[in-house]
Amino acid sequence: MPIRIPDNLPAAKTLETEGVMVMNSSRAARQDIRPLQIGLLNLMPNKERTETQFARLIGSTPLQIDMTLVRITDHQSKHTSEEYLKTFYSTWEEVKERKFDGFIVTGAPIAHIPFEEVKYWSEMLEIMDWTERNVHQTMFICWGAQAALHHFHKTRRYRMPKKAFGVFRHTLAGAPNPWLRGISDSPMIPVSRYNDIERSSISDDLEILIDNDEIGVCMLRDKVRQALYMLNHLEYDNRSLADEFDRDVKAGLNPEMPANVFPNGDSTAEPENRWRSHAHLLFQNWINEIYQTTPYEIEKVGRVAHEP
């Protein structure tokens, strides 16, 4: 089954080229089916690239998905036109009365700013609290994960001596769970962050699912809330890290080359994707878990207890 995205969204062409089944809103409206409602709060500057990355993963499921693109209400984007945002995105104010089966909160390039000094922090607090009542399962990514861990669990983050940058081998931790079903014992996962969380501040309400002794915790689940916290970037495409490296080189920042990205360490060579299958597995497992447990009557989301 296809993913339903807004009519004329530019990402549709990329997804169709890659073989992802895409359905526009007009066609989907004629189908007698209860599609899963997935929201994407996109905090990244390059909205189109990020929405494409997540849509290709969400669209790989055999279930029909309605994806709603969401943005912060009052924040003005410097990299995406207001016309584009008004055409394809809803503000949180416009969706906060809705219920969602799943909701994703992306990262944001503001890791150097204390949470309370982020311009839209007050709205982020409202959104994070809102997910507890209006979303069946939430996935927080990178900065979004750090923010939610800070808010819900008072988890402490710190600046690492140097940026964790590249594709690193991780290990699965904890008991078997539905979200990591089929994923290998040592998946390669893209990482791009300056901050890590203090292990001593991880509460008993959290369980580490994916870990790395060198660069820190990768993914946790919330035992109290229906939430996953992914600190790294399985959604990245082939060139995400390479383009970040090229950008920093051009800016004269003299960055270290991302680990395990370029074949034979040659930055002119096309990067190899060593994580694609794990990315698809994680999102298929997440959506399957949502499908198996979410109420059929979506207005009951947030009122029905669910044990993972």
Side-chain angles (χ1 to χ4, degrees), residues 73-107:
T73 301
D74 296 323
H75 183 65
Q76 297 296 315
S77 175
K78 298 179 181 178
H79 302 273
T80 305
S81 72
E82 188 65 20
E83 180 181 0
Y84 185 94
L85 294 174
K86 287 182 177 179
T87 301
F88 299 117
Y89 279 75
S90 300
T91 66
W92 180 69
E93 286 290 330
E94 293 170 335
V95 304
K96 68 178 183 179
E97 301 302 323
R98 290 178 54 184
K99 301 281 189 173
F100 288 88
D101 300 295
F103 200 80
I104 299 168
V105 179
T106 74

Side-chain angles (χ1 to χ4, degrees), residues 38-56:
I38 305 292
L40 175 67
L41 177 63
N42 191 350
L43 304 175
M44 292 297 287
N46 190 330
K47 295 287 190 285
E48 185 174 338
R49 183 172 192 170
T50 302
E51 70 206 22
T52 302
Q53 290 172 346
F54 283 103
R56 70 161 55 94

Side-chain angles (χ1 to χ4, degrees), residues 89-132:
Y89 279 75
S90 300
T91 66
W92 180 69
E93 286 290 330
E94 293 170 335
V95 304
K96 68 178 183 179
E97 301 302 323
R98 290 178 54 184
K99 301 281 189 173
F100 288 88
D101 300 295
F103 200 80
I104 299 168
V105 179
T106 74
I110 49 177
H112 60 291
I113 305 174
F115 294 119
E116 290 75 11
E117 294 180 17
V118 172
K119 291 181 179 179
Y120 49 82
W121 182 244
S122 60
E123 186 163 331
M124 279 296 301
L125 292 174
E126 294 179 22
I127 293 170
M128 289 185 287
D129 289 339
W130 167 87
T131 63
E132 295 191 90

Side-chain angles (χ1 to χ4, degrees), residues 237-256:
D237 54 43
N238 289 36
R239 288 208 54 86
S240 294
L241 294 172
D243 289 346
E244 185 175 340
F245 172 71
D246 292 343
R247 178 201 67 197
D248 290 348
V249 169
K250 292 177 181 177
L253 300 179
N254 194 30
E256 289 190 17

Side-chain angles (χ1 to χ4, degrees), residues 59-197:
S60 66
T61 172
L63 304 172
Q64 183 174 319
I65 308 291
D66 282 2
M67 187 173 77
T68 301
L69 301 174
V70 185
R71 63 176 173 130
I72 293 292
T73 301
D74 296 323
H75 183 65
Q76 297 296 315
S77 175
K78 298 179 181 178
H79 302 273
T80 305
S81 72
E82 188 65 20
E83 180 181 0
Y84 185 94
L85 294 174
K86 287 182 177 179
T87 301
F88 299 117
Y89 279 75
S90 300
T91 66
W92 180 69
E93 286 290 330
E94 293 170 335
V95 304
K96 68 178 183 179
E97 301 302 323
R98 290 178 54 184
K99 301 281 189 173
F100 288 88
D101 300 295
F103 200 80
I104 299 168
V105 179
T106 74
I110 49 177
H112 60 291
I113 305 174
F115 294 119
E116 290 75 11
E117 294 180 17
V118 172
K119 291 181 179 179
Y120 49 82
W121 182 244
S122 60
E123 186 163 331
M124 279 296 301
L125 292 174
E126 294 179 22
I127 293 170
M128 289 185 287
D129 289 339
W130 167 87
T131 63
E132 295 191 90
R133 304 182 302 274
N134 294 275
V135 178
H136 186 61
Q137 290 210 23
T138 308
M139 186 184 295
F140 296 94
I141 308 288
C142 195
W143 181 86
Q146 295 175 21
L149 288 168
H150 169 78
H151 175 56
F152 290 134
H153 297 279
K154 308 305 178 188
T155 304
R156 296 186 298 274
R157 68 173 181 175
Y158 67 93
R159 196 77 164 178
M160 293 185 288
K162 69 174 184 177
K163 181 180 181 180
F165 189 40
V167 183
F168 297 90
R169 192 168 296 283
H170 290 68
T171 57
L172 305 191
N177 62 82
W179 299 283
L180 302 183
R181 187 181 295 115
I183 291 180
S184 68
D185 294 338
S186 55
M188 298 289 283
I189 298 177
V191 182
S192 177
R193 55 185 168 87
Y194 290 95
N195 296 326
D196 194 14
I197 58 175

Side-chain angles (χ1 to χ4, degrees), residues 34-37 99-101 134 136 291 293-304:
R34 154 76 158 92
L36 292 180
Q37 301 295 322
K99 301 281 189 173
F100 288 88
D101 300 295
N134 294 275
H136 186 61
Y291 176 74
T293 59
T294 195
Y296 182 79
E297 298 175 4
I298 196 167
E299 62 270 15
K300 292 183 178 179
V301 164
R303 305 205 311 263
V304 178

